Amino acid sequence: MLLKTFGWSFAVTAGGLALAGVLWGWKGLLIVGMLSILEISVSFDNAVINAGILRKMNAFWQKLFLTVGILIAVFGMRLVFPVLIVAITAKLGPIEAIDLAINDKEKYEHLVTSAHPSIAAFGGMFLLMIFLDFVFEERDIKWLSWLERPLAKLGKLDTLSIVVALGVLLVTATTMATDVAHGGGDKSATVLLAGVAGVLTYLIVGGISGYFEDRLEEDEEDDEDENEGDEKAVAAGNGGRRGGPTVVGLAGKAAFFMFLYLEVIDASFSFDGVIGAFAITNDIFEMALGLGIGAMYIRSLTVYLVRKGTLDEYVYLEHGAHYAIGALALILLATIKFEINEVITGSVGVLLIGASYWSSVVRNRRETAGDGSGEQTEVSSGV
């Protein structure tokens, strides 16, 4: 299963590194390898979040995520997006922006990094909304119960996550967006607009996908009720329908908008990787190749987690990933004014997910040993 799931990633890695060696020599090969590691380290939590969503989809949409999704991730977010940002901010045509990226790499890098406040505000607010909706939701399994229980009670207030997010955005715009490290000047209005756009994007895409998902669940419940009635009317034999249709995952409109939601999440996660890549190289092709290899592993890891049922076995992983998302969101907003090394960004996510994994292991051992579960396990496993 490991080879089946990661086979394409291994093949892309071998081909990508070989191509880098041929085109740019040993230096280019080293740069591409470093970029791949950077992308994996800062996006590991992305794989866990994606897996939580992807496991709701059927096999077709899971495969689409690995094919069409990777094309969007590599060519869209790692190659086209930075060029598009330059074209918009510098008011250039697409051809001029590409020419600038190839022939004047220093200016291209400056234009991309000067757009960082708006990129960070959009991505930071989108990710912050994901985190807030998670911690404000009442759930049966709690990791840090001392924190999650009171937050879930507060979450009974409608639109609380939106209020908190907009409050954070207002503080960010008034304290972080003046005399910024990237480009200088007062960019409060830019940060506000980009942040609001991030919140709206989350509400629109997440709301539509959630609507169709709820509709699908209602239809399934109606089918189950209808099938139960049919079973009572059937005396015996295999001719009677039993239990209704097997649910194999979201499909149709529900899956499409969930897929779109996944791609927006991936875009938000990719922002820090793209910006951080300029610390290693300003060659857009080296950047796209290195980050693309890393993105391929993130997608393969996502599918692996789904097919192995890892999130069902290690129940606190989703909690750790969402806390990592909350940390990443705040780090992105902080980078509007401060320089934060990518090592710190990646390490925070890895540590939180590692802690949640270990808490899950402890919980499973206690349940296996018959020492109790539920509230006792939740409290004692909190870290």
Side-chain angles (χ1 to χ4, degrees):
M1 179 179 178
L2 184 66
L3 183 60
K4 181 180 178 181
T5 306
F6 287 87
W8 277 106
S9 297
F10 296 151
V12 169
T13 301
L17 293 178
L19 180 62
V22 171
L23 294 177
W24 306 301
W26 286 104
K27 181 180 178 181
L29 189 150
L30 179 62
I31 288 174
V32 170
M34 291 173 61
L35 288 171
S36 302
I37 295 172
L38 169 69
E39 178 67 13
I40 294 171
S41 65
V42 300
S43 300
F44 185 79
D45 45 355
N46 189 10
V48 180
I49 295 299
N50 286 351
I53 299 172
L54 199 65
R55 64 178 173 173
K56 300 177 183 178
M57 299 181 177
N58 62 22
F60 170 79
W61 285 97
Q62 291 180 9
K63 186 176 293 185
L64 201 67
F65 178 72
L66 265 182
T67 53
V68 176
I70 194 63
L71 292 177
I72 296 174
V74 176
F75 296 103
M77 291 309 304
R78 275 75 179 181
L79 185 61
V80 176
F81 174 74
V83 175
L84 184 63
I85 288 294
V86 169
I88 294 174
T89 56
K91 298 180 180 179
L92 300 174
I95 303 300
E96 294 176 288
I98 294 174
D99 179 71
L100 185 67
I102 296 173
N103 299 314
D104 194 348
K105 298 175 182 177
E106 286 75 18
K107 185 177 181 181
Y108 170 79
E109 177 182 349
H110 172 73
L111 290 173
V112 172
T113 52
S114 66
H116 177 76
S118 56
I119 296 172
F122 179 91
M125 294 310 299
F126 186 91
L127 295 176
L128 183 62
M129 285 295 299
I130 295 175
F131 168 72
L132 292 174
D133 273 354
F134 179 84
V135 296
F136 285 146
E137 180 183 349
E138 180 63 47
R139 57 190 70 254
D140 295 331
I141 297 176
K142 298 176 179 64
W143 180 32
L144 307 179
S145 56
W146 55 271
L147 176 63
E148 294 171 12
R149 186 175 290 110
L151 288 178
K153 291 181 180 179
L154 289 174
K156 294 179 181 179
L157 299 173
D158 291 338
T159 70
L160 179 62
S161 58
I162 300 175
V163 173
V164 173
L166 292 178
V168 171
L169 176 61
L170 184 61
V171 172
T172 301
T174 54
T175 61
M176 298 285 191
T178 56
D179 190 26
V180 293
H182 303 280
D186 187 350
K187 295 193 176 182
S188 301
T190 301
V191 169
L192 275 174
L193 288 174
V196 170
V199 173
L200 288 176
T201 301
Y202 172 83
L203 293 175
I204 292 171
V205 179
I208 292 175
S209 63
Y211 167 77
F212 282 110
E213 185 180 356
D214 291 341
R215 283 283 302 274
L216 188 64
E217 290 177 355
E218 290 175 3
D219 291 342
E220 289 169 357
E221 290 176 359
D222 292 340
D223 287 342
E224 289 176 359
D225 292 340
E226 182 180 340
N227 290 333
E228 287 177 2
D230 291 342
E231 286 177 352
K232 293 178 181 179
V234 175
N238 294 329
R241 289 181 293 170
R242 299 182 60 81
T246 301
V247 180
V248 295
L250 295 180
K253 293 179 181 178
F256 170 76
F257 283 104
M258 194 67 76
F259 176 81
L260 184 61
Y261 180 57
L262 269 175
E263 292 304 318
V264 177
I265 290 177
D266 179 76
S268 300
F269 272 98
S270 70
F271 290 152
D272 61 329
V274 172
I275 297 299
F278 281 105
I280 300 174
T281 180
N282 56 14
D283 187 305
I284 61 169
F285 299 110
E286 291 180 346
M287 194 180 300
L289 184 57
L291 297 180
I293 292 174
M296 190 71 190
Y297 277 96
I298 294 302
R299 270 161 169 67
S300 295
L301 180 60
T302 296
V303 174
Y304 180 80
L305 293 174
V306 172
R307 292 175 180 171
K308 287 285 288 184
T310 306
L311 299 185
D312 293 325
E313 183 177 358
Y314 302 100
V315 295
Y316 298 137
L317 272 180
E318 279 193 276
H319 294 73
H322 278 89
Y323 283 111
I325 280 183
L328 176 59
L330 295 178
I331 288 173
L332 271 175
L333 295 175
T335 58
I336 294 175
K337 186 170 185 178
F338 304 104
E339 296 282 355
I340 299 178
N341 192 283
E342 289 72 31
V343 174
I344 297 176
T345 305
S347 298
V348 170
V350 171
L351 288 173
L352 286 169
I353 292 177
S356 64
Y357 171 80
W358 178 248
S359 293
S360 300
V361 171
V362 172
R363 176 184 186 271
N364 293 343
R365 288 176 179 174
R366 286 178 176 169
E367 288 195 340
T368 302
D371 290 339
S373 59
E375 283 298 304
Q376 182 179 357
T377 303
E378 291 164 9
V379 174
S380 59
S381 64
V383 294

